[in-house]
Amino acid sequence: MTVLNLPVLLGTNRKDRKSLFAAKWLVTQMELRSEIKTRLFDVADFDLPQRDYGQGLKDMFPEWRDAIMNADGLVIVSPEYNHGYPGSLKAVLDLLLKEYIHKAVAFVGVSAGPWGGTRVVEAMVPMARELGLAVTFSDLNFPFVQRTFDETGKLLDPAFEQRAKDFIDELVWMAQVLKWGRENVPSKYHQT
Ligand SMILES: Cc1cc2nc3c(=O)[nH]c(=O)nc-3n(C[C@H](O)[C@H](O)[C@H](O)COP(=O)(O)O)c2cc1C
């Protein structure tokens, strides 16, 4: 069995963020799968400088750099802020570039409203493409997140279990195929 490295990035540093519940719960679902190795990264833990930006800073964050270098894919959990993604998420993603190429990315959208972050997911697609990531087409959406989890982060709606399974299955397929491709099909972007 191929074990896939699939870290999860939580994309907001807002104090009372509910997206944390979605990210933590999803990590528990991924940890149930023997073919996945995962770990939660949180943009709030990145002490980013006010007056610098981008790939020149990546060695300040070696755990993130190495996790993405060794990753087969990535899950991004993002709340929808004015139909876009938080600047803190973009700043963390922009620390790297070639490390993402030909790897899978799956999106989790979180919102207080009824659309479950569908608009932020759409907004992330062109940005992820420029990073060289290959986007899955099974998103996981958490609408009305304030009533989907209780105040301790316990999931209140068991329907999400099947949704998460479908979401993870698609990510695993994409990540596995791309891993095979990186290892077997020559590209100027990586060594086979
Ligand atoms: C700056 C800001 C903008 C927001 N814009 C939207 C929005 O466009 N659509 C939406 O459904 N919810 C919006 N929300 C509400 C979030 O969906 C809500 O806070 C939800 O709990 C997910 O974000 P959180 O992880 O920060 O809690 C916004 C929240 C903030 C702080």
Side-chain angles (χ1 to χ4, degrees):
M1 186 188 55
T2 311
V3 175
L4 299 165
N5 287 316
L6 300 172
V8 175
L9 178 62
L10 170 60
T12 173
N13 55 353
R14 193 176 75 83
K15 182 157 58 85
D16 294 322
R17 63 219 171 135
K18 299 273 189 298
S19 307
L20 178 65
F21 296 153
K24 281 190 167 171
W25 179 77
L26 181 64
V27 166
T28 66
Q29 300 302 294
M30 292 173 72
E31 283 173 345
L32 296 174
R33 310 269 297 236
S34 54
E35 77 273 41
I36 295 178
K37 246 179 81 181
T38 191
R39 155 170 188 193
L40 180 61
F41 285 89
D42 181 343
V43 297
D45 295 332
F46 288 69
D47 198 5
L48 289 159
Q50 275 297 322
R51 293 183 184 277
D52 206 355
Y53 195 93
Q55 288 187 77
L57 306 176
K58 71 178 169 188
D59 294 333
M60 286 172 62
F61 306 96
E63 285 185 44
W64 171 244
R65 179 200 62 204
D66 294 350
I68 296 302
M69 210 185 299
N70 296 319
D72 299 301
L74 172 66
V75 175
I76 300 176
V77 179
S78 180
E80 182 170 295
Y81 290 165
N82 298 322
H83 295 193
Y85 42 82
S88 49
L89 169 61
K90 184 68 160 55
V92 168
L93 289 171
D94 285 343
L95 291 169
L96 304 173
L97 186 55
K98 70 176 192 311
E99 293 82 356
Y100 299 116
I101 294 178
H102 294 162
K103 296 178 180 179
V105 64
F107 296 122
V108 178
V110 184
S111 76
W115 310 115
T118 48
R119 292 165 295 206
V120 69
V121 170
E122 291 298 308
M124 286 191 285
V125 169
M127 178 268 287
R129 178 176 172 273
E130 179 56 18
L131 296 176
L133 290 161
V135 174
T136 68
F137 78 110
S138 299
D139 309 323
L140 189 59
N141 300 99
F142 288 91
F144 303 118
V145 65
Q146 66 282 10
R147 45 175 134 120
T148 302
F149 296 91
D150 73 11
E151 66 284 357
T152 69
K154 184 171 173 290
L155 181 73
L156 300 173
D157 181 353
F160 279 94
E161 281 163 26
Q162 183 62 46
R163 291 175 202 155
K165 182 184 177 307
D166 293 344
F167 170 84
I168 296 167
D169 283 348
E170 183 59 21
L171 173 61
V172 164
W173 193 93
M174 288 273 289
Q176 209 169 337
V177 169
L178 287 162
K179 180 180 172 66
W180 186 89
R182 288 194 309 280
E183 289 169 358
N184 292 282
V185 183
S187 161
K188 70 174 181 178
Y189 295 109
H190 42 76
Q191 306 211 308
T192 46

